[in-house]
Amino acid sequence: MIKVGVLGAKGRMGAQVCAALAGAPDMTLAAGVDVGDDREALTGSDMVVDFTHPGAVMDNLRWCIGQGLDTVVGTTGFDDARTAQVAEWLAAAPGTRSLIVPNFSIGAVLMMQFAAKAAPYYESVEIVELHHPDKVDAPSGTARRTAELIADARREAGSAPIPDATTTALDGARGADVEGIRVHGVRLRGLIAHQEVLFGDEGETLTIRHDSMARESFMPGVLLAVRKVGSLPSSPVIGLEHIL
């Protein structure tokens, strides 16, 4: 039986994780911790799932790794500098592992892989991510990771830079630039988590879209990550695709 601690247990995703753990035959909720709670309650856990806030996640990871606790991280906001810092903490805690997951949906993982596969074959590519207005970060972790995978695939294939003749624009009109890939964020009440990757070339376009209509869609990926994080050969590992 895997004893799981949850950071951010009272949030939308954290509460869903707690419910999913209750229905898993090989897991149990060891502790649910939220803002104002003592993290010491997590020390009886085998590992910890973090669904908190980009402003809190790094301190949580530093503490968990220092306690020798494996971590599965669903909180977004990770860039190269943050990942490098986590790697440094893990190097000082042999045997402790961390899996950082931009999106736990199997469909979203496939969408990212399909996008990377298509990336070298089209002259143009842009990403539109759409989320509820309570989301605190933009672009989403999924969009950032998708852009990184696309950029990697294009570099490996020797693709030319994406054409863009824009010389004047309002701030933000062309979206964020993630390794040369334009990413646009929409925040709209009624949405959960959605993303389109748009490819274009002479005479045709290709759109790859994924939609999550309920947070339950992320739970199979979360439970898989909980089961697999302890057997990772090295870490940190970025992305659910490495354990599918």
Side-chain angles (χ1 to χ4, degrees):
M1 186 72 72
I2 307 171
K3 295 181 288 184
V4 184
V6 177
L7 277 161
K10 295 179 182 177
R12 293 180 183 87
M13 284 296 292
Q16 196 70 56
V17 171
C18 292
L21 292 171
D26 56 340
M27 302 177 196
T28 185
L29 177 63
V33 173
D34 212 288
V35 177
D37 297 333
D38 190 343
R39 287 182 299 207
E40 289 295 327
L42 299 168
T43 55
S45 307
D46 295 322
M47 57 83 57
V48 173
V49 176
D50 186 296
F51 272 106
T52 55
H53 185 281
V57 66
M58 292 301 286
D59 188 57
N60 287 336
L61 281 174
R62 178 194 57 78
W63 184 88
C64 288
I65 293 169
Q67 299 293 318
L69 293 167
D70 291 341
T71 48
V72 169
V73 185
T75 305
T76 56
F78 279 84
D79 55 16
D80 289 343
R82 285 192 163 201
T83 303
Q85 178 62 79
V86 175
E88 185 178 318
W89 290 333
L90 288 166
T96 305
R97 300 168 181 84
S98 187
L99 176 60
I100 300 169
V101 182
N103 198 310
F104 286 94
S105 162
I106 304 302
V109 172
L110 290 172
M111 174 267 296
M112 288 186 272
Q113 297 298 307
F114 295 158
K117 183 70 172 177
Y121 296 96
Y122 288 86
E123 185 179 39
S124 297
V125 55
E126 301 209 2
I127 298 170
V128 181
E129 53 98 342
L130 310 93
H131 287 80
H132 57 86
D134 301 316
K135 186 173 179 58
V136 298
D137 60 318
S140 69
T142 302
R144 180 192 290 269
R145 181 61 176 161
T146 306
E148 291 169 348
L149 291 171
I150 288 171
D152 287 345
R154 292 178 66 85
R155 276 193 296 269
E156 185 175 339
S159 300
I162 295 170
D164 185 353
T166 304
T167 56
T168 61
L170 293 175
D171 288 345
R174 291 292 294 119
D177 184 327
V178 181
E179 297 190 31
I181 310 300
R182 291 291 177 175
V183 181
H184 309 267
V186 175
R187 297 293 176 266
L188 196 69
R189 186 66 67 198
L191 299 177
I192 297 293
H194 317 261
Q195 181 168 296
E196 291 186 350
V197 187
L198 301 103
F199 296 95
D201 215 321
E202 290 293 336
E204 70 168 351
T205 62
L206 170 67
T207 300
I208 301 173
R209 178 176 175 118
H210 176 260
D211 299 275
S212 288
M213 277 74 74
R215 291 178 176 85
E216 289 86 348
S217 66
F218 304 114
M219 293 306 108
V222 173
L223 298 183
L224 176 66
V226 169
R227 293 182 178 109
K228 296 288 190 179
V229 64
S231 60
L232 291 174
S234 62
S235 69
V237 169
I238 311 296
L240 195 69
E241 63 270 21
H242 298 289
I243 61 169
L244 288 176

